[in-house]
Amino acid sequence: MKIKIDDLTGHKIQALIREHLLGMLEETPPESSHALNVDQLKKPGITFWSAWEEDELLGCGALKELDRTHAEVKSMRTSSAHLRKGVAKSILEHMIEVAKGRGYQRLSLETGSMESFAPARRLYESKGFQYCGPFADYREDPYSVFMSKEL
């Protein structure tokens, strides 16, 4: 698996982001969905990675800098053809190492509270993320769970 910074111009990654957005809206009301579209992921302060096996897209993830010491995990998505193969774990581990290298002291994330998000929550728990309250501009929401990890 090769994890690389992605400029989000390829049709495969754009399709995966569309799938991600649609998947979030199937589970979450629009006002409670915090997934970013391609244009939002291209904004300064966000680094976006994709994972590949030759020319096959496996998954993606992003880090959004909140301040010099705090970043947010965004857009974690595994291609439906590669679920339960360790793709998300590899991407998350890569992002944690990059965050440490950048000198961030904390990583936080927002994910869904519904049962369909349980595998994601278990992954984050296994990597040391702990449940916390809202951070940055988030507010309490029955559809959201907030987690944070000290680096």
Side-chain angles (χ1 to χ4, degrees):
M1 176 185 320
K2 180 180 179 183
I3 299 172
K4 65 178 187 173
I5 291 178
D6 197 305
D7 65 7
L8 293 141
T9 59
H11 70 279
K12 289 181 180 180
I13 195 64
Q14 289 184 6
L16 185 60
I17 296 300
R18 278 192 302 277
E19 177 185 320
H20 180 61
L21 292 169
L22 290 172
M24 296 300 101
L25 292 174
E26 285 176 4
E27 297 279 335
T28 310
E31 65 275 8
S32 295
S33 178
H34 304 287
L36 302 177
N37 65 33
V38 169
D39 290 335
Q40 292 167 319
L41 287 166
K42 289 181 179 181
K43 290 188 175 181
I46 296 178
T47 306
F48 184 87
W49 289 273
S50 55
W52 298 83
E53 203 163 84
E54 303 205 10
D55 66 343
E56 187 155 357
L57 177 60
L58 307 178
C60 63
L63 280 180
K64 177 182 179 183
E65 184 172 289
L66 300 175
D67 63 42
R68 290 184 359 201
T69 65
H70 189 193
E72 179 181 3
V73 174
K74 297 292 293 181
S75 301
M76 289 287 295
R77 185 70 176 202
T78 301
S79 171
S80 56
H82 297 284
L83 294 172
R84 313 291 182 261
K85 295 180 182 178
V87 173
K89 178 183 173 196
S90 294
I91 294 170
L92 183 61
E93 288 172 346
H94 178 81
M95 292 193 305
I96 290 169
E97 289 308 308
V98 168
K100 287 178 181 177
R102 290 180 179 177
Y104 295 134
Q105 296 172 10
R106 183 167 51 131
L107 280 180
S108 297
L109 62 91
E110 178 275 338
T111 191
S113 62
M114 295 73 71
E115 184 58 30
S116 60
F117 290 89
R121 292 191 303 271
R122 283 192 297 274
L123 170 63
Y124 298 133
E125 289 169 353
S126 77
K127 292 298 164 191
F129 284 82
Q130 298 179 346
Y131 293 94
C132 64
F135 60 92
D137 295 331
Y138 291 105
R139 300 193 189 300
E140 287 289 346
D141 186 316
Y143 294 96
S144 290
V145 169
F146 304 97
M147 302 178 83
S148 190
K149 173 184 176 68
E150 299 298 322
L151 299 177

